[in-house]
Amino acid sequence: MIKFIKIDENSRVPKYKQIVDSIIFNISIGNLKIDQKIPSINMFSEDFYISRDTVEKAYNILKERKVISSIRGKGYYITRTKLISKINILFLINKLSSYKMTTYNSFVNSIGANSHTDLLIYHCDETLFLNLLDKNKGAYDYYVIMPHFKTEDLKHVSYTDEVVKAIKRLPKEKLIIMDNIKLGMDGEIIEIYQDFENDIYNALKEGLTKIVTYEKLILIYPENAVYPYPRRILHGFKKFCIEYSLNFEILNEVYDDMILKKGDLFITIEESDLVNLVKQMRDDEFVLGKEIGIISYNDTPLKELLGITVISTDFKIMGETASRMILNKEKGKIKIPFNFIDRNSI
């Protein structure tokens, strides 16, 4: 066993903890087997030039966790391995974006060290998704899936018949559907979601007093994006504008040399449209938040830094909720908060 143990003299981690972590790691990767004898405290102390008290403290921690046991007159043995076996999780997302990564990082940080999470991206492509799911079927303890797909003409769909069939072949106790739950799944599973239509409607209502000071609302909704967005966003926006008798327009993108007018309020979804719009406003010398307003969909640290007002799901809470429900073996459906965050751009 001695050849597998690593002790870093320059590390700020206490040596007893390094011993504990190193033994557990080597069991988890199969270097140390159940019932295998390990060195005595004295032998370990001599080989690594570490005090006997340090080694004894590490062994006592491992004994308390029932990872090792001692037999009088014979020595120490690896007792159990299940206590340290990791939970293996497959995290399937439709695209790599800053807010998706916020959810993923939040999930990984809160699920704890006793787990291993693989991140795979299927780019809203049904065939790639089905291949990834089939390839990894049975290999994981949990499957976290964000279902967003595109048609041949680049329209958003929540699912296809083949996607639903493939997901239903997974054991329900291993399934976590996240972000978009329009799959028609039944039974006791974990569902953590946004309500795209009502979320944008209610968030805009929160900002109504400022929004009504503008003469026209313009939603930039990309109709044929590589990663299409749910049309329920569009429906919620229309519902809000019609209910409050607001003048509105829906455009596919922020066009080069777009005609900008004082009193316009833009709602952008893609970051490229946000960047293009801000650049054109600066070139035309419009004052952001006074002459022209901007609300952006989905918050990011950069938008916060730039003072851009957003309507957004709390992606950090989304990841934390998923990990908590896995760890507590909870089931059920939870909607994540969607907020209007007022900054300096309206």
Side-chain angles (χ1 to χ4, degrees), residues 166-181:
I167 292 176
K168 283 186 174 180
R169 284 195 287 268
L170 297 173
K172 288 183 178 179
E173 66 273 13
K174 294 185 174 185
L175 188 58
I176 298 94
I177 301 297
M178 187 184 287
D179 195 39
N180 180 23
I181 62 168

Side-chain angles (χ1 to χ4, degrees), residues 272-319:
S272 57
D273 286 319
L274 173 62
V275 171
N276 195 3
L277 178 61
V278 171
K279 184 178 183 302
Q280 290 192 49
M281 286 179 57
R282 289 177 177 174
D283 290 344
D284 294 342
E285 298 183 348
F286 284 105
V287 179
L288 178 63
K290 293 184 178 179
E291 296 174 323
I292 291 179
I294 296 177
I295 299 173
S296 187
Y297 195 89
N298 290 333
D299 199 14
T300 66
L302 184 59
K303 292 174 188 178
E304 181 179 5
L305 181 66
L306 296 175
I308 302 295
T309 297
V310 296
I311 48 178
S312 180
T313 288
D314 193 321
F315 294 101
K316 185 172 182 290
I317 289 179
M318 185 179 286

Side-chain angles (χ1 to χ4, degrees), residues 140-251:
Y140 292 88
D141 299 302
Y142 293 98
Y143 295 81
V144 181
I145 298 172
M146 291 188 179
H148 294 278
F149 299 91
K150 59 187 175 186
T151 62
E152 289 185 1
D153 58 349
L154 299 181
K155 296 291 192 292
H156 178 275
V157 289
S158 298
Y159 61 90
T160 66
D161 291 340
E162 291 302 314
V163 165
V164 172
K165 287 178 186 177
I167 292 176
K168 283 186 174 180
R169 284 195 287 268
L170 297 173
K172 288 183 178 179
E173 66 273 13
K174 294 185 174 185
L175 188 58
I176 298 94
I177 301 297
M178 187 184 287
D179 195 39
N180 180 23
I181 62 168
K182 294 289 184 177
L183 291 172
M185 302 295 293
D186 54 5
E188 290 294 304
I189 66 172
I190 297 174
E191 295 180 287
I192 302 159
Y193 69 101
Q194 301 185 63
D195 180 355
F196 293 96
E197 179 173 339
N198 290 316
D199 279 347
I200 188 171
Y201 169 80
N202 289 322
L204 292 175
K205 278 180 65 175
E206 286 185 50
L208 182 63
T209 54
K210 284 193 172 182
I211 290 172
V212 295
T213 63
Y214 289 88
E215 295 178 13
K216 188 174 188 178
L217 271 67
I218 302 155
L219 173 66
I220 310 298
Y221 177 85
E223 280 283 354
N224 303 110
V226 175
Y227 300 109
Y229 295 88
R231 294 190 67 81
R232 284 165 282 158
I233 295 172
L234 200 60
H235 301 156
F237 172 76
K238 288 181 178 179
K239 177 181 173 182
F240 170 78
C241 293
I242 291 170
E243 181 169 327
Y244 291 98
S245 302
L246 300 174
N247 183 23
F248 71 93
E249 184 176 3
I250 297 168
L251 300 177

Side-chain angles (χ1 to χ4, degrees), residues 90-124:
L90 180 62
F91 207 99
L92 264 172
I93 63 174
N94 60 302
K95 65 177 178 179
L96 196 61
S97 65
S98 58
Y99 46 91
K100 300 280 183 182
M101 290 308 298
T102 296
T103 302
Y104 170 75
N105 290 329
S106 172
F107 175 84
V108 170
N109 290 336
S110 53
I111 196 72
N114 194 34
S115 66
H116 175 79
T117 304
D118 287 328
L119 176 66
L120 294 178
I121 305 154
Y122 63 91
H123 303 287
C124 296

